[in-house]
Amino acid sequence: MNSPLAGERELMLTGIGGQGVQLAAQVIAQGAIADGKEVLVFGSYGGMMRGGNTDSTVVISDQPIEAPPVLSATWSAILMHHQYWAPLRVLISDGGLVLVNTSVFEDQLDRDRYRVVEVPATDVATDLGNPLLAAMVMAGVYGRTSGLVSLDGLVEGMRRSVPPYRSQLIEANEAALAKGWEMAA
Amino acid sequence: MNSPLAGERELMLTGIGGQGVQLAAQVIAQGAIADGKEVLVFGSYGGMMRGGNTDSTVVISDQPIEAPPVLSATWSAILMHHQYWAPLRVLISDGGLVLVNTSVFEDQLDRDRYRVVEVPATDVATDLGNPLLAAMVMAGVYGRTSGLVSLDGLVEGMRRSVPPYRSQLIEANEAALAKGWEMAA
Amino acid sequence: MSERVLIEGSEAMARAAVAAGCRFFAGYPMTPFTELLEHMAGLLPEVDGVCMNAESELEAVGMAWGAATTGHLAATGSTGQGLSLMQESLSEITNARLPLVVFNMARGQGDYFQATRGGGHGDYRHIVLAPMDVPEAVELTQLAFDMAGQWRTPVMVLGDYYLAHTYQAVSVPSFDTAAPEVPNWALDGSTGGSGAAKIVSPLGGGVEGEEGFDLGAHYAACAAHIQAMATGVEPLIDAGFCEDAELVVAAYGSVGKFVRYACLRLRDAGHRVGYIRPITLWPFPSEAVHKAASGSAKAAVYEQNMGQMVDDVRLATMGTVPVEFIGGPSWDHSGFGIGPDINVPDISERILETMP
Amino acid sequence: MSERVLIEGSEAMARAAVAAGCRFFAGYPMTPFTELLEHMAGLLPEVDGVCMNAESELEAVGMAWGAATTGHLAATGSTGQGLSLMQESLSEITNARLPLVVFNMARGQGDYFQATRGGGHGDYRHIVLAPMDVPEAVELTQLAFDMAGQWRTPVMVLGDYYLAHTYQAVSVPSFDTAAPEVPNWALDGSTGGSGAAKIVSPLGGGVEGEEGFDLGAHYAACAAHIQAMATGVEPLIDAGFCEDAELVVAAYGSVGKFVRYACLRLRDAGHRVGYIRPITLWPFPSEAVHKAASGSAKAAVYEQNMGQMVDDVRLATMGTVPVEFIGGPSWDHSGFGIGPDINVPDISERILETMP
Amino acid sequence: MSDDRLFLSTDKPPAEPASLVDDFTPGLITQANHHLCPGCGEPIAIRAAMEAAEELALAERTVAVFGIGCYTAFAHNLDVEVVQALHGRAPSVATGIKRMLPEGFVVTFQGDGDMVNEGLQEVLHAAARGENITCLLLNNGVFGETGGQMTTTTTLGQRTKTSIEGRNPHQHGHPILLSDLTATMDGAAYVARCAVNNAGNVARTKRYITRAYESQMAGAGFSLVEILTMCPTGWFVDTLEGPEYLQNTLAPVHNIGELKTP
Amino acid sequence: MSDDRLFLSTDKPPAEPASLVDDFTPGLITQANHHLCPGCGEPIAIRAAMEAAEELALAERTVAVFGIGCYTAFAHNLDVEVVQALHGRAPSVATGIKRMLPEGFVVTFQGDGDMVNEGLQEVLHAAARGENITCLLLNNGVFGETGGQMTTTTTLGQRTKTSIEGRNPHQHGHPILLSDLTATMDGAAYVARCAVNNAGNVARTKRYITRAYESQMAGAGFSLVEILTMCPTGWFVDTLEGPEYLQNTLAPVHNIGELKTP
Amino acid sequence: MSTVTVRGTVVIDAEACKGCDLCIDACPPRVLEMTDHEVNTRGYRYPRLLAGCTGCQACAQICPDFVFQVYKYHTPLELAVNEGGES
Amino acid sequence: MSTVTVRGTVVIDAEACKGCDLCIDACPPRVLEMTDHEVNTRGYRYPRLLAGCTGCQACAQICPDFVFQVYKYHTPLELAVNEGGES
Ligand SMILES: Cc1ncc(C[n+]2csc(CCOP(=O)(O)OP(=O)(O)O)c2C)c(N)n1
Ligand SMILES: Cc1ncc(C[n+]2csc(CCOP(=O)(O)OP(=O)(O)O)c2C)c(N)n1
Ligand code: SF4
Ligand code: SF4
Ligand code: SF4
Ligand code: SF4
Ligand code: SF4
Ligand code: SF4
Ligand SMILES: [Mg+2]
Ligand SMILES: [Mg+2]
């Protein structure tokens, strides 16, 4: 029997408030949908008023998703910041894929357990004119490295995710996605 | 095994509003308690605003009472009026005891199934000065005929049952009880 | 002990409550609960207690909740609809670990699940006692207050129209007018300013943001307490003739008295039938039911509803004996749950039909 | 069918409700129900529907009751405490034979008894559907409105925080803005003056004091209708790998999805474990559960409470297979019922420990 | 002297040419027989309400919502569509109906126990919302149906089953003057109070109810008519003393008159 | 130019002789740390209430009853005895406590969602009863805790999550002016409304609360102090705009002042 | 003997009456009077009509049991009455 | 340069501050000013004190986070300040 779980790929993102973690999760998820896949997203924002940590869970598959919204293991991770990443650390599967924002991230990674892709995302974003684009850069890198979302998908996903009153950012976001995609080459 | 039901004696009273049926039930019940017995009373007043029927159930025993508040058979009955007595008719046990207020009652009785004691209660009460004493006369007859309550018990029971603002009636009630007791000789 | 008096169930329960130390009552009229409320209103002032004619059931249960926090024995109650309105509070009062007696003068027996599973949100349970008649109601009312205080939990006394309106001779202990002792968790304001003022809360104690306050831990403690009650409260049952019975019939409350009487009569007539009358409905006397039923070929449950306690009987016996449901709702025009099917001959017939 | 979109469970359910014909909604904020309310408020005006920000849950359920009498599909809902407050009305709406969908976005799984036994007074039951995830919630929301109309009964959709807050890709049918057909029992005032004006009442129809009005008969009819639903509503269940399983594990709702996933993983790892996920919680799919469990040596129930559905599983299997409870409440500081124990490794471990 | 000559025959319509001006069973009441007590004021008030509806030709668009009290008996006796609500909850139910039937005419019948005790919040919220419905309060100052206990509208000094010595503000609090309270609310368009203790007041009751109905038909918002009704049973007075008891006990506190007009 | 010279050191008590006139953590608050939002008015109001209690030496006889809203966080942070009640139900709970502790001092803390939505009936019945308790209403015109939805006190035109275009009387009804309503009731002894949007109003708030407490201590009956509080989060405004927003939005409708004194 | 102008009349459904007396006081010309001893089958006394009805409907409007049907004569009648009748 | 009379002073628990700005407007002599860039560990700007505090307690009374401790000097101080400081 071919397990229905075989095709499921998990992604967990962690960062601190304002780094665009939730948006990146949405862009990747919407991108996967634009590519015709099945997706599940569950965000946890910490206690509303405690400020600080923000993380999100995305599952992508070609089949209906079996995974529940809270994961106990993840195939891949995007680490935007080190501050609240401890709980995630143990969840990364052996042989997984970890994207780390080296511009900011200050902690040890178990490089022998999983593949680490270093992305100076905040620096690149700052070069692109806005440090807040770091998450978009990461999304671009992730799409290509993971093979889960196409660049077209990401761009379409970004368009669907950006709220109307932020539409002036679409172009910059697109550039950031493209930049990330390019960096992952 | 000696059935705990052996000692239970049921009484059902029926009449129309104003005939003192509930008071008679209370007097007999309180009288039995004064005599040291166990008692259960359940009154049903019909629909409050439909006027008319009033009946009551009394169970007397030397032991804790096993009978539930709604009886499906009764050893004895006091019939103050015929108007609403139909449902009771079928409940009287073979060999039972039936006291009937012949001054008013106009219906057939199954005299071969149970013992009928005819009491012209309303007439006797009117002679005593107040037709409303009829139920007390009946209670007196019942105590002696049934052997369940003593005259002293009845008088004590009556004293306990008459509300304070009716205390001027105590003497007349006592006389009616005594008269009934005497008639049953 | 005072002299034996002939009193109505409602009055007997009210007297028993006050004798048991109840000092606060709040309620809103609804037949057949109204009578109890009226008697409490008459009696409580005699012992310097308070009876509130609450403006609604929601307010009644809230008032009783408040009174309970002061460590005085408090009670409330209602009927059907009114009890439903109280469910939110009853759930949370259980979590706040407050003693409270709830007189549920029900219409019929349709509210068994609500009483025994807790009709409110969450995973709470509280003790439920179901007297069959006035003398037992007097005993169980006393017990209810004792248990409420001992376990710091709501205890429900589940009665009905028959119980409320039946007169029986009972001895009600006289009132103790001595100022009652209050437990040390109770509030009276006096710990204010000490740096460790007390709190009574369904969310637990302790200081928000500090170690002491932990909602998760509080809920875990509540769950543990429910478990402790489930195993620690002595289950009460009345059973008879089960040893050699071919059929045992289970029933509770006033209806249990009808069934018991039917069984006594059937025994007199030579039928090998036994009865089981659970008195604590929660915790359900599962072991005793299992044992009582184990000797017979069959068990039956008679209740005036579509089948609720029958689940508990089945869970208690778990297939070791077939359990047949022989009850059913019975309603007349009054809606008071005193329908025409509740009578001994009908019940006896159903029992005989069910005999194996 | 519209395009597939990534939306949050709350929004998906709201869209599905409107697509299913819902034209009235009333609610009062409470996490995690608030989001659904807000989406309904946004969507209903698009189809000339009405969404009321009711002043309380008592008023919300009353408004929904009123709207339902007009024959338009109506819904309400809440969470925990709010649902408790609605119990009086839910009981009576059932007796009034009105279609109504109730979205119970619960905190944790402590409210299973309340949902399936009816937390209100009386002997009523209504249909309860428990989706495991967003796509299923969309389907079951549609089904809930269909069943509510077909059976003229409240239907509860039992969700939770996960369901409310998870985004998944779903296809929600587009809205039908055609004026809906109203059933012939519905009120619009038009039969007034005809000598036979309609009445919608939990006490039944007919004229007081005349043949037509008979409370006893009405309650009997209600009981018969509940029975008809109990046997007539198609029970839904999702079960897998039960044929050759040594152990089958039952769970429902979002938690059911965790358990199902754990079982899939354990199967992948070679363990002979199956799962049973009841979808209709009332009527409970007893036969299917019995059948699914019958081949295995043991059954287990995982639910996030002290053991509630386990009763239904035991009643379904009645001792033919030992049923072990392996769940338990899980709470974190939020109180939203997303405690730390709800995770696949812990569940898997409990399952493995329970393997016969 | 015999009575024979004195009393006219009243067992059949007159032989002389005459017009029927009032029939036994009022318009839109299907069955006159009811179980309410002798001398009860509620049937009088309900009659006025139904006649007003008939005169405004509202029968074919009316949905009446009933609370729970003695008046509930009439839920089954009207020739307008009826929804039976729970004790206290009629205004919310009426709201749901009105919102779905904006062209419909929606009226609630509630007692003081129902509206001012159990359901105070419902009626005030509906008033604040300016809900375009009409609520009728049958105020007898007691829970009639459960035996004559004190309600929140019982006046100071009034004797009830639960205020045997008379309502006393220290022990029992003060009466709520529901119409006065409602009249202060912005969403309320028409608020009036009257009584059915004499023929003049009955006529006035009908007039006020008519104005309330007209206000709803004009879409003006929430309307309330409070009607003081006799409850000789709950007051423990003779039926013929009911009207005067009302006048001396309820009316001096719950003042009669229009409190707010659109 | 550097800031060095401009700013005084504020990290330790002054070296010069000085008296402490206000400490970080207010009296009877055991823990200053709380999770309420920046700029929230509720902690300010609670501070005033606790300081008033301290000044009247009520600490050792007070039982505070909390409703459910953001302020609930303080139930665990006070140094007076606390009962946590359900959403809307504090006045009844307070009643039960006061009746059993007539010498005790009983105060409720409730928000507008709690008191004027879910629990309108509770507070009005308590007022009518003349219950000798003090209720404090923290009125921010929104359900803060659930994300800023409209409540019954939201003013016309006020934008909330559920009245995005501003509260509109036709769709959303009119605001309830709880203090005004309560002041009309006979059982209410002291009713006042104030705000915490500037230091003067904070002082006034404390003064009104003190009078309410005094009224309870004198056994005068029910007292209510409504306190308008900022909720920048629920209003979706910057924290520093909160006070002015309050002044322009809530205060013109919910007028500040004493409405009833004993 | 004298004559009284009678503008209207009533039909009384005595069986429906619950004997509450409300109509007696309500009748402006006071031409309704309860029976002394006669009761209907439910045991209630009920009203009878003296000459002088104006057809004003007051009785019908106040009667809680809907006992009255009221007629107005097209032309008033003059009825001879025994003046001592009321004593 | 000039001198300012200082009647009181405050201790500021900058870590407790949530940067809401309420104290700034509340201070009658307007001697509180938010930091420009410095933030506490939770990322909030917080107030600093200029010369001229009167010890009026307004800041302490309005601060939702109980950040202030207020002192009154037994004898007012005179502090020299750079008048251009505010620019
Ligand atoms: C929730 C609830 N509580 C209590 C009752 C019991 N009950 C029925 S009628 C009634 C009193 C009604 O009083 P009111 O509305 O004034 O009407 P009246 O009987 O005086 O006409 C009560 C308390 C009920 N039906 N539902
Ligand atoms: C019965 C019930 N319904 C709903 C809720 C959810 N709830 C919690 S707080 C809150 C809003 C509180 O508003 P308010 O009292 O104004 O306080 P604020 O948050 O504005 O301070 C609500 C609706 C609840 N706890 N209980
Ligand atoms: S109890 Fe009062 S209100 Fe009820 S029917 Fe009798 S008189 Fe009317
Ligand atoms: S949401 Fe509003 S009321 Fe709640 S803490 Fe934040 S600012 Fe205060
Ligand atoms: S119609 Fe008028 S005058 Fe004639 S009997 Fe009736 S009340 Fe009297
Ligand atoms: S008012 Fe009606 S019920 Fe009363 S006495 Fe007159 S006719 Fe009879
Ligand atoms: S005490 Fe007064 S003057 Fe000093 S900083 Fe505070 S508000 Fe300003
Ligand atoms: S008022 Fe308090 S929290 Fe706000 S900025 Fe000033 S010190 Fe910080
Ligand atoms: Mg009334
Ligand atoms: Mg608020």
Side-chain angles (χ1 to χ4, degrees), chain F residues 97-211:
Chain F
I97 297 168
K98 184 71 181 190
R99 295 285 175 133
M100 295 312 277
L101 297 174
E103 298 305 313
F105 179 81
V106 181
V107 57
T108 76
F109 289 85
Q110 305 174 257
D112 49 320
D114 188 284
M115 185 190 280
V116 197
N117 273 66
E118 185 87 42
L120 178 61
Q121 167 153 336
E122 298 250 339
V123 68
L124 293 181
H125 279 150
R129 250 184 347 256
E131 204 63 48
N132 196 27
I133 58 173
T134 302
C135 291
L136 301 181
L137 165 56
L138 310 183
N139 184 3
N140 52 21
V142 287
F143 299 112
E145 166 128 353
T146 54
Q149 298 87 355
M150 188 185 76
T151 68
T152 47
T153 69
T154 302
T155 56
L156 293 182
Q158 188 181 335
R159 299 180 63 221
T160 71
K161 210 167 181 182
T162 41
S163 62
I164 309 260
E165 324 263 278
R167 183 175 189 161
N168 137 5
H170 303 294
Q171 200 187 338
H172 307 111
H174 296 262
I176 293 178
L177 312 185
L178 199 262
S179 291
D180 302 68
L181 209 57
T182 309
T184 68
M185 306 189 82
D186 281 334
Y190 181 83
V191 180
R193 192 190 278 117
C194 43
V196 293
N197 62 332
N198 60 51
N201 276 344
V202 173
R204 191 159 162 178
T205 296
K206 195 158 137 188
R207 208 155 60 234
Y208 289 173
I209 294 176
T210 303
R211 289 193 194 140

Side-chain angles (χ1 to χ4, degrees), chain D residues 1-5 19 138 170-175:
Chain D
M1 220 192 70
S2 70
E3 93 190 290
R4 288 168 70 249
V5 284
V138 168
V170 289
S171 308
V172 183
S174 53
F175 302 162

Side-chain angles (χ1 to χ4, degrees), chain D residues 12 21 91 107 142 154 161 175 192 226 234 250 269 290 296 298 336 353:
Chain D
S91 168
R107 298 182 177 180
Q142 172 77 53
Y161 187 91
F175 302 162
I226 305 273
E234 194 197 338
H290 182 90
S296 62
K298 207 167 161 187
F336 294 156
E353 278 170 10

Side-chain angles (χ1 to χ4, degrees), chain C residues 10-60:
Chain C
S10 309
E11 184 180 352
M13 291 166 84
R15 292 199 163 273
V18 177
C22 180
R23 288 300 174 269
F24 184 92
F25 196 83
Y28 185 78
M30 184 158 190
T31 312
F33 166 76
T34 311
E35 298 77 350
L36 182 59
L37 170 61
E38 286 172 357
H39 286 295
M40 291 304 280
L43 292 171
L44 275 172
E46 288 182 23
V47 292
D48 283 334
V50 175
C51 182
M52 297 293 290
N53 296 305
E55 290 86 351
S56 70
E57 291 88 352
L58 283 171
E59 287 155 285

Side-chain angles (χ1 to χ4, degrees), chain G residues 16-23 34 46-47 62-65 67-68:
Chain G
C17 174
K18 294 204 189 107
C20 71
D21 283 283
L22 295 191
C23 53
M34 294 302 276
Y46 52 86
I62 206 152
C63 173
D65 287 277
V67 168
F68 296 94

